[in-house]
Amino acid sequence: MTERGLRPARPEDGVAWITGASSGIGRELARFLLDEGWTVALTARREAELQAFAQHYPAERVFVIAADVTEAPAMANALARIEAEAGRPVALAIANAGVWRRMGLSDFDAEAFAQVMAVNVLGVANMLAAVLPGMRARRFGQIGIVASVAGYLGLPRASAYGASKAALIHMASSLRFEAAESGILVQVINPGFVATPMIAANTASKPFVLSAEAAASRIQRGLAGTGFEIAFPRPTVWLLKLARLLPWRLFFALGALGALARGRG
Ligand SMILES: NC(=O)c1ccc[n+]([C@@H]2O[C@H](COP(=O)([O-])OP(=O)(O)OC[C@H]3O[C@@H](n4cnc5c(N)ncnc54)[C@H](OP(=O)(O)O)[C@@H]3O)[C@@H](O)[C@H]2O)c1
């Protein structure tokens, strides 16, 4: 199959499995997918949060499978449970679980760096390793990898988070080539700032911030198409994409000016 033969998954194709569904973007996206008619499987570590959300829906439409994405066997086991309990395969996998941690020069910490990588990168790899064999065998599936615009280029105090998200953009674009041949649609989701518990502790200014609901709505729209990247909001995306084209010298000079203007010089 080629890129042109790809199509997005539909509720009748199977179950939508979302990691990081206990709060923020993941929980809102679960709500939108349920409203669209999907049967949804929710994964995160906090089972009570997942259950509290699930109780608003019929039991046969929502499966709560608590797991830590950093544990590969737990993720393989989660997939087996979802498919056994639902009696249908996972057709749409949304690798959304992630953590943010501020890390610049003064607070650089290798152990914390490894933890960010473990959740944000290996956690996604563990979900992909679980779902890919079945999707390849069925020659059908859709995978949405939640990265971030912070993965486009190095931003201040984001050395770990940004690196993890850059890795995901790389991983997704690399897989897209072969995935298309196997009938699997791979998409990368790059949000700008979204008001969720994740960024509540981030004291930096948050231009063009969206609500989790608005972010989930944009993601849902993107998942209904076959484009590779689902990125929003537009001003943030284009500013950062333009910045990526600048020569490094100019990029850092503008960054220094920006810091001066904000009184951090
Ligand atoms: N908010 C933003 O501005 C923004 C911007 C760009 C991209 N993103 C990305 O969007 C995704 C969702 O973030 P959010 O903003 O919605 O933040 P959030 O509300 O903090 O949600 C993060 C989710 O990840 C789960 N999680 C964290 N570690 C996990 C682990 N080891 N195993 C399983 N689940 C784990 C959390 O659940 P438990 O704690 O229950 O495990 C939670 O459900 C992340 O990948 C984030 O990087 C966010």
Side-chain angles (χ1 to χ4, degrees), residues 20 22-23 25 45-46 68-69 96 147 161 165 191-192 194 196 198:
S22 59
S23 70
I25 297 170
R45 291 163 304 176
R46 288 170 297 163
D68 186 326
V69 293
N96 165 74
Y161 183 76
K165 297 302 186 178
V194 182
T196 68
M198 175 176 286

Side-chain angles (χ1 to χ4, degrees), residues 19-27 43-47 49-50 67-71 75 95-100 118-120 146-150 161 164-165 168 189-199 209 212:
T19 64
S22 59
S23 70
I25 297 170
R27 188 168 61 190
T43 290
R45 291 163 304 176
R46 288 170 297 163
E47 187 166 4
E49 305 286 335
L50 298 175
D68 186 326
V69 293
T70 64
E71 294 168 10
M75 290 300 283
N96 165 74
V99 289
W100 176 82
V119 179
N120 293 7
V146 181
S148 166
V149 296
Y161 183 76
S164 73
K165 297 302 186 178
L168 292 183
I189 299 160
N190 291 327
F193 284 118
V194 182
T196 68
M198 175 176 286
I199 64 161
V209 63

Side-chain angles (χ1 to χ4, degrees), residues 4-245:
R4 288 174 64 184
L6 287 173
R7 74 159 173 89
R10 297 190 278 258
E12 57 271 26
D13 293 318
V15 177
W17 182 21
I18 308 178
T19 64
S22 59
S23 70
I25 297 170
R27 188 168 61 190
E28 281 311 308
L29 184 59
R31 205 187 304 279
F32 275 84
L33 293 177
L34 278 156
D35 289 348
E36 200 183 322
W38 281 93
T39 296
V40 171
L42 312 170
T43 290
R45 291 163 304 176
R46 288 170 297 163
E47 187 166 4
E49 305 286 335
L50 298 175
Q51 294 290 6
F53 173 83
Q55 71 178 5
H56 299 291
Y57 297 90
E60 69 280 7
R61 301 250 345 261
V62 191
F63 297 90
V64 168
I65 314 282
D68 186 326
V69 293
T70 64
E71 294 168 10
M75 290 300 283
N77 188 37
L79 176 74
R81 276 186 55 200
I82 293 163
E83 297 194 336
E85 286 177 34
R88 298 193 301 151
V90 166
L92 172 63
I94 305 290
N96 165 74
V99 289
W100 176 82
R101 185 174 167 130
R102 176 195 156 111
M103 202 181 296
L105 207 67
S106 57
D107 47 8
F108 199 90
D109 175 334
E111 207 174 303
F113 196 103
Q115 280 165 9
V116 170
M117 288 292 168
V119 179
N120 293 7
V121 182
L122 296 177
V124 173
N126 287 336
M127 183 187 217
L128 262 50
V131 297
L132 277 173
M135 288 185 176
R136 289 185 60 220
R138 293 186 293 277
R139 296 193 63 75
F140 183 73
Q142 182 174 6
I143 295 172
I145 295 176
V146 181
S148 166
V149 296
Y152 290 163
L153 72 187
L155 297 174
R157 292 167 289 280
S159 61
Y161 183 76
S164 73
K165 297 302 186 178
L168 292 183
I169 295 171
H170 231 86
M171 187 198 287
S173 51
S174 170
L175 289 171
R176 171 105 180 185
F177 288 103
E178 285 168 88
E181 287 164 20
S182 299
I184 301 169
L185 174 59
V186 174
Q187 293 170 298
V188 71
I189 299 160
N190 291 327
F193 284 118
V194 182
T196 68
M198 175 176 286
I199 64 161
N202 182 350
T203 52
S205 68
K206 297 163 191 134
F208 309 114
V209 63
L210 290 177
S211 67
E213 190 184 1
S217 161
R218 281 167 171 76
I219 294 170
Q220 184 190 32
R221 243 181 288 147
L223 291 173
T226 58
F228 172 64
E229 186 184 21
I230 302 167
F232 53 84
R234 234 174 251 168
T236 310
V237 171
W238 286 109
L239 274 173
L240 289 173
K241 286 198 172 180
L242 278 175
R244 198 165 57 172
L245 298 175

